[in-house]
Amino acid sequence: HGITLHKTGNRLYTSYYLTESDGKELIAQLASVEDETEIIKECNKYACEKLSFHRKNNLNNKEANCVGYAQYTTALLNSAFKYKGLLSKARPIVGQVHLYGFNLHPLAMTIMPNKLKSFFKDHDFVEIITENGDTIFIDTSLQDLIGKSFF
């Protein structure tokens, strides 16, 4: 699909902790799949189903911008990895979205409606370091906005 994610830095953040409604049953369900890749897909899918995109984070109302999506997805992933006994780790990071090698951020700042400009100014997504040391980037907020999985 030509979309790639490029890390520019780490996000300083306070870890988002799952609530009781997210609880152990949910994590057991997300971690019940065959392997690490499937856990990533399940957590990504669940975050998209649970949250809706909004300019401001209000995770209690299930509204999030890219920062909230990244924090929530990170919490799901790390909980599922731990439950499954995997050493993989996820964390929210800051980066850019590229389409066929072209950085979309400068273009978005000139053509997007004002309410969406901030989405491309300083964009957050998730970095996963797998058990075997591979790095995977996933962008749950972008997936939710346009309906495609990026990973």
Side-chain angles (χ1 to χ4, degrees), residues 29-49:
Q29 175 190 341
L30 294 172
S32 69
V33 293
E34 189 71 23
D35 61 21
E36 182 179 55
T37 300
E38 292 304 311
I39 288 174
I40 295 167
K41 288 178 182 177
E42 287 300 309
C43 290
N44 203 22
K45 178 181 165 188
Y46 182 80
C48 286
E49 291 170 356

Side-chain angles (χ1 to χ4, degrees), residues 13 69-79 90-92 125-126:
Y13 75 105
Y69 273 88
Q71 289 180 359
Y72 185 71
T73 305
T74 295
L76 289 173
L77 286 163
N78 285 332
S79 295
R91 68 178 172 184
F125 48 93
V126 178

Side-chain angles (χ1 to χ4, degrees), residues 75-95:
L76 289 173
L77 286 163
N78 285 332
S79 295
F81 291 150
K82 183 177 179 181
Y83 184 90
K84 191 80 167 183
L86 299 173
L87 299 175
S88 302
K89 295 285 183 213
R91 68 178 172 184
I93 60 169
V94 179

Side-chain angles (χ1 to χ4, degrees), residues 15-136:
S15 294
Y16 173 76
Y17 293 98
L18 299 176
T19 63
E20 278 302 312
S21 67
D22 293 320
K24 293 179 183 178
E25 286 182 22
L26 170 64
I27 299 306
Q29 175 190 341
L30 294 172
S32 69
V33 293
E34 189 71 23
D35 61 21
E36 182 179 55
T37 300
E38 292 304 311
I39 288 174
I40 295 167
K41 288 178 182 177
E42 287 300 309
C43 290
N44 203 22
K45 178 181 165 188
Y46 182 80
C48 286
E49 291 170 356
K50 170 122 178 165
L51 301 175
S52 62
F53 192 81
H54 196 268
R55 286 178 31 173
K56 297 196 183 235
N57 277 330
N58 186 346
L59 293 175
N60 293 330
N61 283 346
K62 301 178 184 177
E63 297 173 336
N65 57 25
C66 62
V67 175
Y69 273 88
Q71 289 180 359
Y72 185 71
T73 305
T74 295
L76 289 173
L77 286 163
N78 285 332
S79 295
F81 291 150
K82 183 177 179 181
Y83 184 90
K84 191 80 167 183
L86 299 173
L87 299 175
S88 302
K89 295 285 183 213
R91 68 178 172 184
I93 60 169
V94 179
Q96 299 172 339
V97 180
H98 289 231
L99 179 62
Y100 297 109
F102 182 75
N103 181 356
L104 293 179
H105 296 258
L107 176 65
M109 295 304 283
T110 60
I111 66 169
M112 297 295 269
N114 284 337
K115 69 179 186 174
L116 294 178
K117 283 184 179 182
S118 62
F119 183 72
F120 283 97
K121 179 182 172 212
D122 184 10
H123 187 59
D124 286 40
F125 48 93
V126 178
E127 175 183 60
I128 301 162
I129 307 299
T130 66
E131 282 197 308
N132 63 8
D134 292 337
T135 300
I136 298 170

